[in-house]
Structures are given as C-alpha cells and as structure tokens.
C-alpha cells in the first residue's frame, strides 16, 4: 500500500476464510443479477493485508436495502444462525469513516459481482468508534505491513472526518471516538494528542473559511443575529 494519493490496488487472497466465503456467496447470487458489494470491518485486512489476521465474520453492504441479500445469505447457510464463520448484511450507514472513502476504494470485478474494498485507512478510521483489542491489533498490523498511515496522513484524514467527533445520540451504544483516538495515538504514534486542538479545531476553522471566505467574522455573526430576529 502506498500513501493516500496513490491508487489502492490490493492483491486479494481468495484462499483466506473470508475469500472462500465470499466466493461461495457470489455463486449463490443469481448470475443475472449485477451487484456491487462493499466490505468493511476486519475481513478486508485479511483479504488484502495479512491472511492470518482473524475476522469473526464478513461485514458487507450493498447500495440497496440489504433484505434481498439477507435472504440469499440465509438460504445458502451463511447467516449467523447457521454458520460459525458468517456473513453480516449491514446498512451502508454502519460504515462510519472518512467522507472521502469512495475516492480511494478498490473495485474488483468478480463476474456478475463487483467487490469494493475500502482503503485500509478508512477501515481503520471506522474502528475508532470501538477500538477494542482486535481493533488495536488492526492498526498495528496495517502500520507494520505498509508503513501507513503516517501520523500526518492520519491527522489530515481525521480532520476531513471531523463530523465523526460530534456527540453520540442518546440511543447510540458506541464508544467515545475522542478518547479512542487518544488511545490509538499513544499506541501507534507514541505520543499524546489533543484531539480538540489538533483535529477538531483546525477542521472547523478550514470549514468556516470555506463557507465565508469573503465575509468578515463579525459581519457573519451580525448576519446570524439579524436572521434570528427576523
């Protein structure tokens, strides 16, 4: 894997558990159906970075409602209810990562199925929401095998992903991505990071400049007050 400006063109190891399961799934999908399937979670790292990296399941989504694919998965015996190593059909919104992930994802033609593998940095960013022990291992593995992401690459990409740092909804049961980013920085880059100062504040300032490049800040505030009063 090269830096973020380079094309992501992985060599997929189809002999892995994830690879074998995906090939079986592709065969179960009617050949008359053209479908694009995107992987996330740990299975892309097993397929493209290290075949020995453990993945508990294969998380994937399509651009449409997953119900039709869930029926195929269940009928083929690949669901959580019937298989020890199973396929989890998710909603695209479950993959919470950089808004730029599609720009660098690899598309791999597999007959009537196109497999999309997000770039490793996007896989890793999505793991910051939880950052359990296996997520720590994923970060360490990718950096060890590829030399990326560098600290600057991660800083830049998390600034583009600043909206991930907004407070969770009350109904959400997820980890604290701000705290987890700090833990990851210690693990991978060996130093403490002030997430608000080094990621959130610079990103919001760049966004502010982009929205109001020709408008002085005080005029902008006055305009907001005028709109509120009106």
């Amino acid at each position: 894997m090269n830096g973020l400006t380079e094309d992501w063109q992985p060599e997929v190891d189809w002999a892995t558990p994830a690879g074998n399961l995906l090939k079986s799934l592709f065969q179960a999908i009617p050949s008359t159906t053209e479908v694009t399937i995107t992987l996330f979670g740990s299975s892309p790292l097993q397929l493209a970075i290290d075949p020995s990296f453990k993945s508990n399941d294969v998380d994937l989504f399509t651009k449409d409602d997953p119900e039709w694919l869930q029926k195929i998965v269940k009928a083929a015996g690949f669901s959580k209810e019937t298989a020890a190593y199973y396929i989890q059909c998710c909603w695209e919104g479950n993959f919470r990562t950089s808004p730029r992930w599609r720009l660098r994802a690899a598309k791999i033609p597999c007959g009537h199925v196109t497999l999309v593998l997000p770039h490793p940095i996007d896989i890793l960013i999505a793991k910051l929401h939880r950052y359990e022990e296996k997520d720590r291992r994923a970060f360490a593995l990718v950096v060890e095998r590829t030399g990326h992401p560098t600290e600057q690459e991660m800083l830049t990409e998390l600034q583009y992903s600043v909206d991930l740092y907004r407070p969770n909804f009350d109904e959400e049961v997820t980890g604290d991505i701000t705290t987890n980013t700090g833990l990851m920085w210690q693990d991978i880059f060996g130093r403490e990071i002030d997430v608000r100062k080094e990621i959130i504040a610079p990103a919001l300032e760049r966004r502010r400049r982009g929205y109001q490049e020709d408008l002085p800040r005080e005029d902008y505030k006055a305009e907001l007050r005028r709109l509120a009063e009106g």
Side-chain angles (χ1 to χ4, degrees):
M1 183 183 75
N2 295 316
L4 300 186
T5 59
E6 303 295 330
D7 289 339
W8 166 233
Q9 297 177 331
E11 294 185 9
V12 174
D13 189 341
W14 293 105
T16 56
N20 284 319
L21 186 56
L22 285 169
K23 287 192 295 182
S24 297
L25 173 64
F26 298 165
Q27 292 174 356
I29 297 174
S31 59
T32 54
T33 303
E34 295 287 335
V35 60
T36 297
I37 291 176
T38 301
L39 297 191
F40 66 108
S42 295
S43 61
L45 303 183
Q46 183 185 104
L47 286 169
I49 301 294
D50 184 345
S52 68
F53 188 69
K54 185 177 180 181
S55 172
N56 295 328
D57 56 16
V58 174
D59 295 316
L60 53 79
F61 61 83
T62 66
K63 66 178 181 178
D64 303 312
D65 188 290
E67 185 175 352
W68 70 272
L69 187 57
Q70 287 173 340
K71 292 180 180 178
I72 292 174
V73 167
K74 186 174 182 178
F78 302 147
S79 66
K80 186 176 183 178
E81 292 74 22
T82 55
Y85 187 59
Y86 60 93
I87 291 172
Q88 183 74 41
C89 296
C90 302
W91 175 50
E92 183 175 343
N94 292 124
F95 185 42
R96 294 186 295 161
T97 190
S98 168
R100 307 200 301 173
W101 74 269
R102 291 185 186 278
L103 299 176
R104 50 182 169 248
K107 294 183 178 181
I108 302 165
C110 305
H112 59 299
V113 177
T114 298
L115 181 66
V116 177
L117 287 182
H119 192 284
I121 196 170
D122 298 309
I123 296 294
L124 295 180
I125 289 173
K127 289 180 174 293
L128 285 173
H129 297 281
R130 184 174 52 190
Y131 203 60
E132 295 176 348
E133 182 56 35
K134 64 178 181 179
D135 305 311
R136 291 173 184 253
R137 292 197 299 269
F139 270 88
L141 171 73
V142 172
V143 172
E144 177 187 347
R145 293 299 176 88
T146 70
H148 297 278
T150 64
E151 184 173 10
Q152 186 56 55
E153 286 170 342
M154 185 59 80
L155 270 175
T156 298
E157 207 54 43
L158 289 178
Q159 288 172 6
Y160 277 108
S161 310
V162 65
D163 289 325
L164 296 177
Y165 290 91
R166 295 186 181 277
N168 290 335
F169 295 113
D170 292 340
E171 295 82 359
E172 286 185 298
V173 183
T174 58
D176 180 352
I177 190 173
T178 300
T179 298
N180 291 346
T181 299
L183 293 173
M184 181 274 290
W185 228 267
Q186 285 277 20
D187 291 341
I188 301 302
F189 303 119
R191 73 170 180 91
E192 293 184 0
I193 184 174
D194 186 330
V195 173
R196 296 190 180 281
K197 181 179 179 180
E198 298 183 58
I199 295 175
I200 298 174
L204 295 183
E205 175 60 19
R206 291 176 67 184
R207 182 177 289 177
R208 185 191 68 80
R209 291 200 307 266
Y211 278 135
Q212 52 194 80
E213 186 175 35
D214 300 319
L215 186 63
R217 191 160 194 168
E218 289 306 314
D219 288 351
Y220 174 71
K221 290 181 178 179
E223 179 65 10
L224 286 177
R225 286 195 298 270
R226 186 188 68 78
L227 291 172
E229 292 169 357

